[in-house]
Amino acid sequence: MTVSGPGTPEPRPATPGASSVEQLRKEGNELFKCGDYGGALAAYTQALGLDATPQDQAVLHRNRAACHLKLEDYDKAETEASKAIEKDGGDVKALYRRSQALEKLGRLDQAVLDLQRCVSLEPKNKVFQEALRNIGGQIQEKVRYMSSTDAKVEQMFQILLDPEEKGTEKKQKASQNLVVLAREDAGAEKIFRSNGVQLLQRLLDMGETDLMLAALRTLVGICSEHQSRTVATLSILGTRRVVSILGVESQAVSLAACHLLQVMFDALKEGVKKGFRGKEGAIIVDPARELKVLISNLLDLLTEVGVSGQGRDNALTLLIKAVPRKSLKDPNNSLTLWVIDQGLKKILEVGGSLQDPPGELAVTANSRMSASILLSKLFDDLKCDAERENFHRLCENYIKSWFEGQGLAGKLRAIQTVSCLLQGPCDAGNRALELSGVMESVIALCASEQEEEQLVAVEALIHAAGKAKRASFITANGVSLLKDLYKCSEKDSIRIRALVGLCKLGSAGGTDFSMKQFAEGSTLKLAKQCRKWLCNDQIDAGTRRWAVEGLAYLTFDADVKEEFVEDAAALKALFQLSRLEERSVLFAVASALVNCTNSYDYEEPDPKMVELAKYAKQHVPEQHPKDKPSFVRARVKKLLAAGVVSAMVCMVKTESPVLTSSCRELLSRVFLALVEEVEDRGTVVAQGGGRALIPLALEGTDVGQTKAAQALAKLTITSNPEMTFPGERVGCTLQIYEVVRPLVSLLHLNCSGLQNFEALMALTNLAGISERLRQKILKEKAVPMIEGYMFEEHEMIRRAATECMCNLAMSKEVQDLFEAQGNDRLKLLVLYSGEDDELLQRAAAGGLAMLTSMRPTLCSRIPQVTTHWLEILQALLLSSNQELQHRGAVVVLNMVEASREIASTLMESEMMEILSVLAKGDHSPVTRAAAACLDKAVEYGLIQPNQDGE
């Protein structure tokens, strides 16, 4: 018996009464051959749902295993192959496919057992023998590696735990080697089995920063993508002990502990999805329970006295990443509901904390914003009104508990908590504002003589001013108060906050030039004062942040934008502030940049609708004269000259929950505006903008990802992709390969025609670079969408799709698609080679030349696809465009060389005369190809050389 390739579904004789099963199986086989593994999988799955015999089921399961192998989902491939083996224990193909899946999963000991069974069933099969030899070699290599590292691991721990070696270079080298060893799975396993976790615990207990960092980084390697080792590590160290390391004063140690806990969360969450299975397939403790224990300890850490502010921020960051659902399509939000019941009050306690007063929790400038983001994500993860009502009730009860009967300190705490909610789940914040006495207390405390009390009240007033429900109330009651504070207060910290409140209220009309809240020139005066405070280095960063908040609102006004981009000192101060640890400023910086570049959504109103609205005496929004395209382009140039790209690159690299999906979207909008002009793209690339766009295109809101992807497309079209996305790695993948997925996302029908066109152009460039990039494009299932756009009515999109397909035709898989029976792909290229659009002709003829060179069998099918094939080829050879001539000559040469019969048909037509004329030209590629055609015809005996031997 001959085994088909690693993933080739095999035919099986039809069984009586199973015609529908057989039909679906055959359909799946055809789809598999065409490279549509997802479609094949669906067909096999549908067949399994019918009344299939056990023998049919075995075939279908092993075919599904083949699909999963191709799709690189090795866990499912193993599961499907195991189901086939359950039906038929002697199914050699299923055994072989399971061995392949197990090998990819790193379970070599189990893979070799399956291969040994294959060899025993078919001793003469060379495929099995070779596979067994290969895997045997891998096992021996692993054994050698493990035995050689035994002594090394022991020696490293001896050096690290030796008190005499304190601070030596030898100790530093040992710690580095341990971390490097743990990055490889075999090394991590060796450390784990050598009592490594207990020894690492001793390193942690020593309290030395360097040793703690080495221990934590080694533990990351041990726990990474390994559920059972993660649970064992938590059991040995103690969940409470691991979490408590977050709260140490050393920022580096706290961040390392944060990374370790993130790795543990990922391993446990993967375990929950896969149903209690670790990487090595062991049955272990319920990971869902371990996950809750870990989260419970993080929630407890939030309110512990003695925990550093940085540690509290890291705990909030972990909760933001670990608790809410990654996708709203996932119906299970039980973890969010559990966290709300168990820990909402603890999160609110952090959100309501005042920074650094005696007796309060230690918090940083970013803590309250992180708490707001976590609250917002929890609220957004709720599915029904009952769940949201419970959230509101818990928030209101907590605020009442501080507001009532706790004196002035309690009222301040309650108001601060309301501010936290207004910055996060604003629905909950609005409801809290409506509680009896809250708004009145805010207004009253604004007039307090104590700076701390004023700060809390004014900030609450500012956050409330941004909410539609309260804006009219505050406009009526708060403007005069804010003006008095701004004019009369002696403290800059109060004046600047009052100014931001006025800025918010003054920008209520947005970009509508006709809707001005304040008198002419007032916004310019406010903006000038904001820029003055922004540039004042003597003011702390936390206070200067409010100046940026004010500009974020005032830059809706085009006059303010123009003055701002002219102020080099203010721009420099803005960019410097965005790089500081005060990360809560990021959203305001991004908002101001969006306004200056006009990268918000704006649709030109229909003139007819404008006239109709005027006739009906309805308000018609007006665009400021300085928001016209020429002014916007000038502002973009000034921002680029000021170094905006470098500042935005630093913002994208921020490891902080403050870089929310909304903030990412704003940055994506600005980047798209910056690359609009071709001549500006070199500047963006040179300052690292191409690299920064990749994470923005892979994570964030749908709009943000699309904007970033379009910016990537523009850069890829006009710049060398290998220079734009150099060989740095994102995770385990080179950056240039990460660009493919965002570009393919622009091919979806919900994207605009311009986005489709730019994506196709960019993919064309990438497909021409290397086979690996072409394989990445194929893996992202772009080919069917590209084929669809080859039929597009818009000539530029049609042409771009054809050019992209021409470059992809260098891949074997695409050639297989053209060679498969029953499709019109080849016909379309032949017909496009005869179109009037010269650029489309060039792309199609290039694809034909490529395909007929790589697959000679296609040459015999060209005369079958259309009766006009000969006219099209002749027209190519007679073209005045030398590129078209050359491509046509290559196609004809390939056809002549492929078959004497085709050559005879060509020589009996006018083609021979055309070739004879072309062959007498200068020594160009066209002349050489034409001469080669005639030489081959002479060789066939179809024509005779003339007396001159030509």
Side-chain angles (χ1 to χ4, degrees), residues 26-272:
K26 286 181 178 177
E27 182 184 326
N29 290 352
E30 287 301 317
L31 289 167
F32 189 96
K33 288 175 186 175
C34 293
D36 186 358
Y37 307 121
L41 192 62
Y44 298 141
T45 304
Q46 191 177 348
L48 275 170
L50 302 176
D51 190 18
T53 65
Q55 190 178 2
D56 283 327
Q57 289 176 18
V59 172
L60 291 166
H61 280 302
R62 70 182 179 230
N63 284 3
R64 279 168 57 83
C67 293
H68 287 306
L69 282 171
K70 286 289 187 182
L71 294 168
E72 300 181 12
D73 192 339
Y74 302 116
D75 282 302
K76 288 182 180 176
E78 182 220 345
T79 301
E80 290 298 328
S82 298
K83 289 178 181 178
I85 294 165
E86 286 173 13
K87 302 290 181 185
D88 180 2
D91 190 335
V92 71
K93 293 181 181 179
L95 284 164
Y96 180 63
R97 286 171 190 165
R98 187 168 72 175
S99 75
Q100 290 178 300
L102 290 167
E103 181 183 356
K104 291 291 187 181
L105 291 167
R107 290 148 61 183
L108 300 180
D109 52 341
Q110 296 176 32
V112 78
L113 293 175
D114 281 346
L115 279 174
Q116 287 171 346
R117 178 123 175 91
C118 289
V119 171
S120 68
L121 290 169
E122 292 188 15
K124 296 182 181 179
N125 191 302
K126 292 183 180 179
V127 175
F128 295 158
Q129 292 170 2
E130 183 63 25
L132 188 59
R133 275 195 296 273
N134 287 340
I135 206 165
Q138 290 181 54
I139 290 173
Q140 288 175 5
E141 183 62 32
K142 186 176 179 181
V143 168
R144 280 197 298 272
Y145 175 77
M146 296 292 278
S147 59
S148 68
T149 55
D150 276 348
K152 291 179 184 177
V153 171
E154 187 177 344
Q155 186 182 17
M156 282 186 271
F157 275 116
Q158 282 179 352
I159 294 169
L160 291 170
L161 294 168
D162 185 353
E164 300 297 324
E165 295 283 355
K166 188 173 183 180
T168 64
E169 185 180 339
K170 197 174 178 183
K171 202 164 193 172
Q172 187 179 11
K173 190 173 181 181
S175 65
Q176 289 172 349
N177 289 340
L178 194 65
V179 173
V180 171
L181 182 64
R183 287 176 185 158
E184 297 294 330
D185 188 64
E189 184 67 18
K190 187 65 211 169
I191 296 170
F192 180 76
R193 293 187 182 279
S194 301
N195 223 23
V197 177
Q198 288 88 339
L199 294 170
L200 291 168
Q201 185 176 22
R202 288 174 61 187
L203 290 180
L204 290 171
D205 291 340
M206 291 173 79
E208 294 180 29
T209 298
D210 289 344
L211 292 181
M212 291 181 77
L213 288 172
L216 290 166
R217 289 165 183 165
T218 305
L219 286 167
V220 166
I222 289 172
C223 297
S224 183
E225 297 182 8
H226 207 295
Q227 176 193 337
S228 58
R229 286 204 300 250
T230 298
V231 175
T233 299
L234 285 169
S235 176
I236 294 166
L237 297 179
T239 305
R240 184 72 196 133
R241 171 78 176 97
V242 178
V243 171
S244 68
I245 300 172
L246 275 179
V248 300
E249 288 298 329
S250 169
Q251 189 171 341
V253 172
S254 181
L255 283 170
C258 183
H259 184 208
L260 171 60
L261 286 164
Q262 182 61 59
V263 166
M264 288 178 160
F265 271 123
D266 292 342
L268 292 172
K269 279 202 160 188
E270 195 61 27
V272 173

Side-chain angles (χ1 to χ4, degrees), residues 426-482:
C426 57
D427 286 347
N430 273 323
R431 281 190 45 163
L433 277 175
E434 292 167 5
L435 292 173
S436 176
V438 171
M439 199 67 206
E440 291 77 7
S441 295
V442 170
I443 299 292
L445 285 170
C446 282
S448 170
E449 295 181 1
Q450 297 296 318
E451 183 178 4
E452 294 79 8
E453 296 170 9
Q454 269 192 314
L455 285 175
V456 172
V458 173
E459 285 184 20
L461 196 62
I462 292 167
H463 297 312
K467 312 305 168 188
K469 283 187 178 180
R470 311 301 305 182
S472 57
F473 172 85
I474 294 166
T475 302
N477 300 278
V479 170
S480 57
L481 176 60
L482 289 169

Side-chain angles (χ1 to χ4, degrees), residues 535-597:
C535 296
N536 189 345
D537 292 335
Q538 304 304 311
I539 302 176
D540 66 278
T543 303
R544 288 165 67 205
R545 171 179 75 86
W546 287 97
V548 184
E549 291 270 358
L551 288 169
Y553 289 98
L554 292 174
T555 46
F556 281 122
D557 187 309
D559 289 317
V560 173
K561 300 178 198 182
E562 288 294 315
E563 286 194 2
F564 187 34
V565 297
E566 292 288 351
D567 191 337
L571 289 177
K572 183 180 178 181
L574 180 77
F575 299 153
Q576 286 177 342
L577 198 60
S578 69
R579 292 182 170 97
L580 299 179
E581 287 186 14
E582 176 69 54
R583 311 312 293 174
S584 54
V585 76
L586 294 185
F587 190 86
V589 172
S591 298
L593 292 174
V594 165
N595 291 340
C596 288
T597 56

Side-chain angles (χ1 to χ4, degrees), residues 892-893 895-908 911-913 915-916 929-945 950:
V892 173
L893 177 58
M895 294 178 72
V896 169
E897 290 181 337
S899 161
R900 186 181 187 279
E901 183 182 348
I902 299 174
S904 175
T905 304
L906 288 166
M907 294 305 143
E908 290 170 3
M911 185 67 75
M912 190 181 79
E913 293 178 27
L915 291 170
S916 299
C933 289
L934 295 174
D935 289 343
K936 193 66 180 177
V938 171
E939 184 184 322
Y940 285 144
L942 298 174
I943 60 174
Q944 295 294 324
E950 295 181 352

Side-chain angles (χ1 to χ4, degrees), residues 264-335:
M264 288 178 160
F265 271 123
D266 292 342
L268 292 172
K269 279 202 160 188
E270 195 61 27
V272 173
K273 287 180 189 173
K274 292 185 178 179
F276 310 97
R277 294 187 63 172
K279 192 170 184 179
E280 72 298 335
I283 305 299
I284 62 165
V285 181
D286 180 0
R289 178 185 169 280
E290 296 296 322
L291 197 62
K292 282 190 174 180
V293 171
L294 203 51
I295 290 172
S296 178
N297 277 278
L298 282 175
L299 290 169
D300 290 341
L301 187 81
L302 292 179
T303 54
E304 275 188 25
V305 176
V307 172
S308 67
Q310 178 69 35
R312 225 177 293 281
D313 287 356
N314 287 334
L316 288 165
T317 300
L318 286 166
L319 290 167
I320 288 167
K321 291 179 179 179
V323 177
R325 291 172 291 172
K326 296 294 182 188
S327 169
L328 295 180
K329 293 178 183 177
D330 179 4
N332 184 10
N333 70 337
S334 58
L335 192 58

